[in-house]
Amino acid sequence: EFCYAMTGSDDIEGTKSNVAADAWLPRKLRRYPTPFPCAILLCVVSSLMGRVFKRYLSGSGIFRCACCFSHLALQADIVSKAFQGKHGAAYLFDKCINTITGQSEERLLTTGLHVVADITCIDCGDVVGWKYEDAYDDSQKYKIGKVILERALIQKWREQ
């Protein structure tokens, strides 16, 4: 797999060994300058030998895991801030990255019965929210495919 980001002055477009040596970021955050603002930097690391595929976001208002600082979503992808999770306030996002979707289950939430799946951080394994798989009430169908990230489990980071 290849990394299309830049580290320092070297452009990594080459081999898997270059990506593993220069772009693999286990639990550490490295800032990648990019010529395209607010673009997802496709830093895809080889999955050989148990490595994790991680992607990085650029721009202002990046939400990341509070435990390991993996990038999860952009502020621009927030649909609503008027949600509640197990740990307090939560945000509804159109999409997020660097997460693993768990098994679907029916859960009774404040807006009715939904089919949801917990999502965990791909790096540290902490649960950061859930994904709406289905809704039984027609007025709640807009949530299907969207993601809730709990504010207590994530943090906002402003790239400088």
Side-chain angles (χ1 to χ4, degrees):
E1 314 300 317
F2 301 100
C3 178
Y4 299 99
M6 294 176 67
T7 58
S9 61
D10 299 327
D11 192 8
I12 300 171
E13 292 184 9
T15 66
K16 288 183 180 182
S17 61
N18 283 348
V19 173
D22 297 330
W24 176 243
L25 303 172
R27 297 187 184 270
K28 291 193 177 160
L29 182 65
R30 182 188 292 171
R31 289 179 27 191
Y32 289 96
T34 176
F36 355 93
C38 295
I40 294 178
L41 300 178
L42 297 176
C43 271
V44 182
V45 179
S46 172
S47 66
L48 300 174
M49 301 187 335
R51 293 245 168 115
V52 177
F53 288 92
K54 285 181 72 172
R55 294 188 293 171
Y56 298 90
L57 302 168
S58 68
S60 61
I62 296 172
F63 287 93
R64 57 190 190 168
C65 176
C67 176
C68 68
F69 309 124
S70 292
H71 291 191
L72 299 175
L74 287 172
Q75 183 174 355
D77 292 327
I78 293 177
V79 175
S80 175
K81 294 183 179 182
F83 281 80
Q84 283 294 117
K86 295 176 188 174
H87 306 286
Y91 298 158
L92 180 67
F93 287 87
D94 264 330
K95 58 188 173 233
C96 70
I97 62 169
N98 296 327
T99 58
I100 299 170
T101 304
Q103 187 141 0
S104 298
E105 64 183 22
E106 287 186 343
R107 203 177 288 170
L108 185 60
L109 303 171
T110 55
T111 54
L113 188 61
H114 297 273
V115 178
V116 299
D118 284 338
I119 55 171
T120 59
C121 176
I122 200 167
D123 193 9
C124 67
D126 282 0
V127 174
V128 291
W130 66 86
K131 181 177 182 179
Y132 286 98
E133 301 286 333
D134 197 8
Y136 295 106
D137 188 1
D138 287 338
S139 68
Q140 301 298 312
K141 296 277 187 189
Y142 75 95
K143 295 178 186 176
I144 296 173
K146 294 189 174 35
V147 174
I148 290 284
L149 294 178
E150 296 196 50
R151 191 68 183 103
L153 306 175
I154 61 174
Q155 64 177 216
K156 188 174 180 181
W157 180 59
R158 289 187 176 89
E159 204 171 30
Q160 313 238 340

